[in-house]
Amino acid sequence: MTNIDVDRLGCAGRAPARPAVSFVTLGCAKNEVDTADMTARVQAAGFAVTDDVAAADAAVINTCSFIQAATEESLQAIFEVSGLAGFDDGSRKLVVAGCLPARYGAELEGELSEASAFVPCSREDDIVEVLRGLFPEAALDAAAGDGAPSPWAGHPAAYVKIADGCNRFCSFCAIPYIRGRFRSFPLDDIRRAVTERVAAGVREVTLIAQDTGRWGADLPAPSSTARLLSALADEFPDTWFRLMYVEPDGVTDELLDAIASHPNVCRYLDVPLQHASARVLAAMNRRGSYDENLALVRRMRERVPGITLRSTFIAGFPGETEDEFQELLDFLEEAELDYAGVFAYSREEGTRAADLPDQVPDDEKEERARLLREMADSIGHARTAARVGQTLDVLVLGREEDGQLYGRAACQAPEVDGVTYLETGEPGEVVSVTIEDTLLYEMEGA
């Protein structure tokens, strides 16, 4: 039996006076931001919001479709919700949002009869109108949402999206077809988003986009990510700022100087390099080479002493030879990155790489990815262990189920780099600790 407010539901067959909406988010941090924005919109319109999908009148599944595995995970979530009581007969409404409808469009609508509505990325601002169309008889009162908690309340850390879309058209990637062309968000909108989160108690803001380092180039008055970062760091001196997803050509000296000169900007960069072979990078429709990428790593470390570096790499790209794979292994060993995400190449429908000759067999791709991960982890674990004895500021995030307090240092990005376990502190506080021990990517401080 589901936990439903019968007074709110009213008589059988009648629309609820104030429909409750539940959001399910899949995929990357950019989807998390989109869900938070949709949540704020529906609350402001007078809808109720619940974390319990089984108790909701409508479920909005914000899907990911970046690679085939993400598409399959999104479809599984849709089928699981559509099988719940009320969703299975259509009396409760299932809305499929995000990347899946953006990528597959009318084809998806024709195949997925379980959904009551589809909201691609470009229409997520219309979520209120979509839900109103599903509940035309609902008596919504915007004032009912006045006391609703902020989507960021109780979260010491949050993301802010500064742009969307991508112009790069890497041959392996479907993002430009899903999210559209790159477009910077205005500075005032970004400042407003940061203000909302800080007012809700957020202490760390991670700035994200598909191509974070390109921000401002397309604005009527062109600007730069460095200027944006400096402006926010100056305006919110008690807030940590972190940059993720900066493409190599976005790592300018101006940006590195902005990071180095602001104490509240994390000395951390996530720069997706993808490979080290010049030929493979060219086939990916990317620039760079072993020597150029290594020079970039060295420049970041020289310009920002103590910077933490993360990157991502693809194993088994079409045509990748044994020698080119070894070149990538050699690069990882020489670059000594703090963190590296490794992915076996995924052959994505509609991308140029999907039609390239010399596709690497799946078992070989997975083996190469395994070897890369082993190399990356060996280096990353050693670099983490080298922090023993250092005194670091740690943002306290909360407690695990067993009561263990944990947080995140500036050298640890959300969700991907491990955490720091602590003995004292309250969520939202920044405490200074000495690292006493490490395990893989986790650290212990006292």
Side-chain angles (χ1 to χ4, degrees), residues 169-191:
F169 289 93
C170 297
S171 64
F172 56 83
C173 182
I175 288 296
Y177 310 105
I178 297 171
R179 293 272 177 178
R181 291 301 184 98
F182 180 86
R183 54 203 180 277
S184 299
F185 297 161
L187 173 59
D188 286 346
D189 291 354
I190 297 170
R191 181 184 288 117

Side-chain angles (χ1 to χ4, degrees), residues 192-233:
R192 187 179 306 112
V194 173
T195 300
E196 290 171 349
R197 288 154 175 76
V198 171
V202 168
R203 290 293 304 274
E204 179 190 31
V205 171
T206 299
L207 304 176
I208 56 172
Q210 309 297 334
D211 191 351
T212 316
R214 189 176 286 238
W215 182 88
D218 58 329
L219 293 176
S223 188
S224 68
T225 306
R227 282 177 243 172
L228 169 67
L229 185 62
S230 294
L232 294 174

Side-chain angles (χ1 to χ4, degrees), residues 14-20 45-47 131-132 134-141:
R14 202 168 72 195
R18 189 184 179 211
F47 288 91
L131 290 171
R132 281 176 174 157
L134 296 178
F135 298 99
E137 299 179 6
L140 294 173
D141 179 5

Side-chain angles (χ1 to χ4, degrees), residues 219-271:
L219 293 176
S223 188
S224 68
T225 306
R227 282 177 243 172
L228 169 67
L229 185 62
S230 294
L232 294 174
D234 289 340
E235 185 172 347
F236 302 93
D238 296 325
T239 302
W240 285 9
F241 288 93
R242 184 190 303 274
L243 277 178
M244 301 291 285
Y245 318 128
V246 182
E247 290 288 340
D249 59 7
V251 185
T252 63
D253 286 347
E254 180 191 26
L255 179 63
L256 295 175
D257 290 347
I259 294 171
S261 62
H262 291 87
N264 59 325
V265 173
C266 296
R267 295 192 171 204
Y268 185 109
L269 272 180
D270 173 20
V271 182

Side-chain angles (χ1 to χ4, degrees), residues 54-388:
D57 302 297
V60 179
I61 302 181
N62 194 3
T63 60
C64 178
S65 188
F66 176 54
I67 59 175
Q68 185 59 34
T71 297
E72 293 171 359
E73 183 182 6
S74 293
L75 289 171
Q76 181 180 354
I78 291 168
F79 295 140
E80 287 178 358
V81 172
S82 67
L84 296 175
F87 292 103
D88 54 357
D89 62 11
S91 57
R92 297 180 185 171
K93 307 302 180 183
L94 174 60
V95 178
V96 177
C99 295
L100 201 62
R103 183 171 184 179
Y104 295 106
E107 176 187 350
L108 185 70
E109 295 183 23
E111 296 278 341
L112 208 59
S113 60
E114 294 87 350
S116 302
F118 296 87
V119 182
C121 305
S122 60
R123 285 192 56 211
E124 287 177 344
D125 288 354
D126 301 330
I127 186 64
V128 170
E129 286 69 26
V130 171
L131 290 171
R132 281 176 174 157
L134 296 178
F135 298 99
E137 299 179 6
L140 294 173
D141 179 5
D146 289 346
S150 163
W152 304 283
H155 298 281
Y159 297 98
V160 167
K161 194 160 64 169
I162 65 173
D164 208 350
C166 185
N167 291 350
R168 294 187 181 273
F169 289 93
C170 297
S171 64
F172 56 83
C173 182
I175 288 296
Y177 310 105
I178 297 171
R179 293 272 177 178
R181 291 301 184 98
F182 180 86
R183 54 203 180 277
S184 299
F185 297 161
L187 173 59
D188 286 346
D189 291 354
I190 297 170
R191 181 184 288 117
R192 187 179 306 112
V194 173
T195 300
E196 290 171 349
R197 288 154 175 76
V198 171
V202 168
R203 290 293 304 274
E204 179 190 31
V205 171
T206 299
L207 304 176
I208 56 172
Q210 309 297 334
D211 191 351
T212 316
R214 189 176 286 238
W215 182 88
D218 58 329
L219 293 176
S223 188
S224 68
T225 306
R227 282 177 243 172
L228 169 67
L229 185 62
S230 294
L232 294 174
D234 289 340
E235 185 172 347
F236 302 93
D238 296 325
T239 302
W240 285 9
F241 288 93
R242 184 190 303 274
L243 277 178
M244 301 291 285
Y245 318 128
V246 182
E247 290 288 340
D249 59 7
V251 185
T252 63
D253 286 347
E254 180 191 26
L255 179 63
L256 295 175
D257 290 347
I259 294 171
S261 62
H262 291 87
N264 59 325
V265 173
C266 296
R267 295 192 171 204
Y268 185 109
L269 272 180
D270 173 20
V271 182
L273 297 174
Q274 308 300 6
H275 213 279
S277 161
R279 191 205 66 80
V280 173
L281 286 166
M284 291 177 169
N285 196 35
R286 295 177 64 85
R287 300 174 184 173
S289 66
Y290 187 111
D291 290 340
E292 290 175 53
N293 288 349
L294 191 60
L296 173 61
V297 169
R298 289 171 175 165
R299 180 164 64 89
M300 289 188 285
R301 286 177 170 152
E302 289 169 1
R303 202 93 185 186
V304 187
I307 192 170
T308 299
L309 297 179
R310 163 174 278 277
S311 189
T312 52
F313 299 94
I314 295 174
F317 187 80
E320 181 190 63
T321 66
E322 289 285 353
D323 286 345
E324 288 165 339
F325 173 66
Q326 184 62 49
E327 189 175 8
L328 179 52
L329 276 173
D330 292 344
F331 174 82
L332 273 179
E333 186 173 20
E334 189 168 3
E336 293 188 309
L337 301 171
D338 298 279
Y339 307 102
V342 175
F343 303 91
Y345 167 72
S346 177
R347 191 175 187 177
E348 292 302 309
E349 179 185 1
T351 63
R352 282 177 286 172
D355 297 323
L356 288 177
D358 302 319
Q359 297 282 330
V360 178
D362 288 346
D363 57 348
E364 181 62 24
K365 288 189 295 188
E366 293 297 338
E367 175 63 11
R368 293 182 185 182
R370 182 187 68 80
L371 292 172
L372 278 177
R373 288 191 191 102
E374 287 183 355
M375 171 72 76
D377 285 342
S378 174
I379 295 166
H381 296 164
R383 293 187 69 84
T384 301
R387 298 189 184 113
V388 171

